[in-house]
Amino acid sequence: MPLLFVGLATVDVVQRVARFPGIDEKVQSASVEVAAGGPAANAAVTAAALGAEVTLISAVGSHPLGELVRADLAAHGVTLIDADPRSPEPPPVSAVTVLAATGERTIVSRNAGNRAVAVPPGGLPDADLTLVDGHHPALAVAAARSARRLLVDAGSWRPVFTDVFPYAEVVACSGDFRHPACSPAAAGDDDPAPAGDDDTGTGGDDDAATAAAVAAPHVVITHGPEPVRWFSAPDATGRVPVPSVAAVDTAGAGDAFHGALAVALARGDLDLPAAIAFASRVAAIRVSHAGPRSWLAHLR
């Protein structure tokens, strides 16, 4: 079951603190860990831990920090194809601060910035299912066009999604995702209701509008600890409950969800609600354990 993940790989520096610092304040962290990060990379690591054969295409480059990314991915069973191996630029670095008491996090990251990355000379490998996260737009579009089956991680709106969504089988959005077609200006609404202001508790009206705007065969919308909404063309919809757990570390929870969803979809023996339930259980394990990688041992 070969899976292909296309998108961002970063160096994540994760520090755990008793409280977030204020402006111009310094606090001591209880721990610090360094790992590869980024939506596609974290999803790829999750899928590999679940037993899939995983390839990640990203831009890492020749900077010494890139070795941290390569080593971590290799240690977790992910084959990396570097689309920009000669670049002297450092890979993106994310500073992640996790609040020990609640697992909430803040992230400062440049992501891929304006770095232009082309398709590798050898092209894209064959895969049963491809996930793209919208970073490195040229790669995302090429992967979308060539995918047998395409899963899109739509954490936040990116202009490239206009060219990617038409190829998608499943688009997985966060509750914070806002399609431009759903903006107040596009809707002609000068006084829109607050997001989530309906009787479902999970942004039902907003979710339906998002699903209609995305217009993929299947749209999944996550809401943290609240039920996941799903929409399947032409008019099927439903909710999947999320396991109730004590959150210890929420960093990368969405990425874990997407990696597990990719595995479930590629297996082909689960319908969409069952695939969402599987991915939600994996994400629940992620948030139940501190650190970017220690939680993987609890998948077995």
Side-chain angles (χ1 to χ4, degrees):
M1 183 177 63
L3 303 182
L4 177 63
F5 293 76
V6 180
L8 187 64
T10 68
V11 174
D12 281 5
V13 181
V14 184
Q15 303 207 63
R16 197 168 181 84
V17 298
R19 62 181 180 84
F20 290 131
I23 296 174
D24 203 26
E25 181 185 11
K26 182 186 294 185
V27 300
Q28 291 292 317
S29 64
S31 65
V32 60
E33 296 180 77
V34 180
N42 281 333
V45 168
T46 301
L50 291 169
E53 178 187 339
V54 175
T55 299
L56 170 69
I57 299 182
S58 188
V60 176
S62 62
H63 190 277
L65 284 177
E67 292 306 314
L68 296 174
V69 176
R70 292 187 182 87
D72 186 51
L73 293 174
H76 292 92
V78 175
T79 298
L80 172 66
I81 297 176
D82 191 347
D84 198 12
R86 296 184 180 179
S87 173
E89 297 180 40
V93 177
S94 293
V96 183
T97 306
V98 178
L99 188 62
T102 64
E104 297 168 298
R105 81 282 193 264
T106 63
I107 301 175
V108 177
S109 179
R110 177 116 166 82
N111 292 334
N114 298 320
R115 188 172 181 178
V117 179
V119 176
L124 304 177
D126 190 32
D128 291 340
L129 182 140
T130 299
L131 176 147
V132 301
D133 65 11
H135 294 273
H136 304 307
L139 282 177
V141 172
R145 289 174 175 170
S146 65
R148 290 184 186 176
R149 302 174 65 194
L150 180 66
L151 168 62
V152 180
D153 168 0
S156 58
W157 171 256
R158 300 182 184 284
V160 71
F161 286 149
T162 300
D163 298 317
V164 168
F165 283 170
Y167 299 94
E169 176 182 337
V170 180
V171 174
C173 306
S174 73
D176 295 329
F177 177 86
R178 295 291 179 267
H179 195 289
C182 298
S183 67
D189 188 350
D190 295 328
D191 188 23
D197 188 14
D198 63 277
D199 62 2
T200 68
T202 54
D205 292 341
D206 291 336
D207 288 350
T210 294
V214 170
H218 306 283
V219 178
V220 174
I221 305 178
T222 59
H223 292 278
E226 300 299 325
V228 179
R229 294 292 307 279
W230 61 269
F231 300 82
S232 294
D235 55 10
T237 184
R239 294 178 177 81
V240 178
V242 171
S244 179
V245 297
V248 174
D249 187 346
T250 61
D255 306 336
F257 178 90
H258 297 135
L261 184 62
V263 170
L265 293 171
R267 286 175 177 167
D269 56 355
L270 298 173
D271 61 15
L272 183 61
I276 293 169
F278 172 77
S280 296
R281 290 193 295 272
V282 171
I285 294 171
R286 167 66 194 99
V287 303
S288 300
H289 298 88
R293 296 289 181 255
S294 62
W295 71 277
L296 297 169
H298 299 274
L299 292 176
R300 303 180 180 89

